[in-house]
Amino acid sequence: MNKILEFCKKNMKTMKTIITILISSLLLTSCVTIKPGEVGLKQKLGKLSDQVYPQGPVFFNPFTSKIVRTSIQTRNLELSLNLPSKEGLSITSQISILYRLEKTDVVKIVNDLGLNYEGIIANVFRSASADICAQYFAKDMHSGKRSEIEADILKRMSSNLQNKGIIIESVLMKSIQLPVGLSQSIESKLRAEQDAMRMEFVLQQEKFEAERKIIEAKGTRDSQKILSEGLTNEIIKLRSIDAFNELSKSPNTKIIVTDGKTPFLINQE
């Protein structure tokens, strides 16, 4: 007994160090930090508690419990699918699904769906997109109706997932790859429509130019008519007198032939 006590006294410092390390390890393994945008759920002996832990440290018994962490931020699920069209064609599309978990329903989501809920979302999208896209022609997915298709798929998915605590914020069809023949025919049609619009613009401009020339000609005709109606014999005589007066002021030698009404100037230079 004395030997044991003596041994303990000699190795007290070492034992304190070992005990400190054990306590520190126990504390570290019994604390989890919940990051911003996450929530934590305590699982004790395989059963989830109803309490949802926000960001910050959470302490638990590592021998009987653990903390399950999951994100409640908006997340992006990328999919590449072949979508059916109304005429039976297969359209390849890149899809982005923006979704988040309702904070108050996280316990229900983990209990019902587990942590692999993205697989559930993908399956719901496949079903909803097949039903909706089959109501539209392939060209509609490549035109202004794409936003309408996205809204219909979003509505169908929300009705299936909202009661499960998953909020679908947006469905984005980022790229549409049509069959080669259909894509070429759509491009040809668009090119023909653009050419028709360009020709219509040119014809409209020509029409405006023709109308402008007609108006200009009418104006010239009307002004000449007004001038001709205003040139009476008396005005012509007054203009002739004014012309004689101006010629008389000139120092240059000139020969003027006139009948007394209108002058005709011969310049000797």
Side-chain angles (χ1 to χ4, degrees):
M1 186 70 180
N2 292 330
K3 290 183 178 180
I4 295 174
L5 292 173
E6 187 179 350
F7 176 80
C8 291
K9 287 179 180 179
K10 289 181 179 179
N11 296 278
M12 185 64 70
K13 188 174 181 179
T14 302
M15 292 179 65
K16 287 182 178 180
T17 303
I18 294 173
I19 292 172
T20 301
I21 293 173
L22 290 174
I23 293 174
S24 300
S25 300
L26 183 62
L27 290 174
L28 288 174
T29 56
S30 63
C31 179
V32 170
T33 301
I34 307 299
K35 299 177 182 179
E38 290 183 337
V39 293
L41 306 175
K42 184 177 289 187
Q43 188 178 35
K44 185 176 182 181
L45 298 176
K47 183 179 179 181
L48 288 176
S49 66
D50 294 333
Q51 184 177 359
V52 178
Y53 295 92
Q55 69 180 61
V58 179
F59 294 92
F60 63 98
N61 184 348
F63 299 105
T64 61
S65 306
K66 69 175 183 177
I67 300 298
V68 178
R69 294 182 298 179
T70 186
S71 174
I72 56 172
Q73 293 178 322
T74 298
R75 303 178 70 178
N76 181 26
L77 176 59
E78 296 274 353
L79 297 174
S80 179
L81 298 176
N82 291 325
L83 304 176
S85 66
K86 191 173 183 178
E87 62 266 58
L89 297 175
S90 181
I91 312 301
T92 303
S93 178
Q94 295 290 332
I95 310 295
S96 283
I97 302 172
L98 303 181
Y99 74 95
R100 62 180 174 84
L101 305 184
E102 189 66 50
K103 183 178 180 180
T104 56
D105 293 331
V106 171
V107 177
K108 177 184 176 182
I109 295 170
V110 176
N111 276 326
D112 295 346
L113 306 179
L115 295 176
N116 190 26
Y117 41 79
E118 283 196 346
I120 305 297
I121 296 174
N123 289 333
V124 171
F125 174 80
R126 287 186 178 92
S127 175
S129 61
D131 292 342
I132 298 300
C133 292
Q135 302 174 19
Y136 291 87
F137 292 104
K139 63 178 182 179
D140 297 334
M141 303 181 195
H142 205 266
S143 64
K145 287 190 176 182
R146 181 187 298 188
S147 58
E148 181 180 331
I149 298 172
E150 293 172 345
D152 289 344
I153 295 175
L154 173 62
K155 185 178 179 181
R156 180 70 63 87
M157 291 186 68
S158 297
S159 65
N160 292 332
L161 292 173
Q162 192 167 10
N163 60 347
K164 298 183 182 299
I166 299 175
I167 307 301
I168 305 299
E169 296 183 351
S170 184
V171 174
L172 305 173
M173 302 174 71
K174 297 191 297 184
S175 66
I176 301 293
Q177 186 176 349
L178 300 176
V180 178
L182 179 61
S183 179
Q184 292 176 349
S185 63
I186 291 176
E187 290 177 1
S188 299
K189 180 182 178 182
L190 292 176
R191 191 158 44 245
E193 290 177 352
Q194 291 175 354
D195 291 341
M197 292 175 62
R198 189 181 300 109
M199 182 57 65
E200 183 179 354
F201 175 78
V202 172
L203 292 175
Q204 191 72 19
Q205 290 296 107
E206 293 293 337
K207 181 180 178 182
F208 289 154
E209 181 65 16
E211 292 177 352
R212 186 191 67 78
K213 289 182 178 180
I214 291 172
I215 294 172
E216 182 180 0
K218 287 182 178 179
T220 303
R221 183 197 63 190
D222 293 343
S223 63
Q224 290 176 349
K225 182 178 179 181
I226 293 171
L227 287 174
S228 63
E229 290 177 352
L231 289 176
T232 60
N233 292 330
E234 288 75 11
I235 292 176
I236 293 174
K237 288 180 181 180
L238 288 174
R239 294 290 177 87
S240 298
I241 294 171
D242 291 338
F244 280 124
N245 288 333
E246 292 296 328
L247 290 172
S248 65
K249 296 177 184 179
S250 175
N252 299 328
T253 303
K254 300 173 180 62
I255 298 174
I256 300 173
V257 179
T258 179
D259 57 357
K261 297 179 181 179
T262 56
F264 179 79
L265 175 64
I266 298 177
N267 192 345
Q268 287 186 331
E269 299 177 0

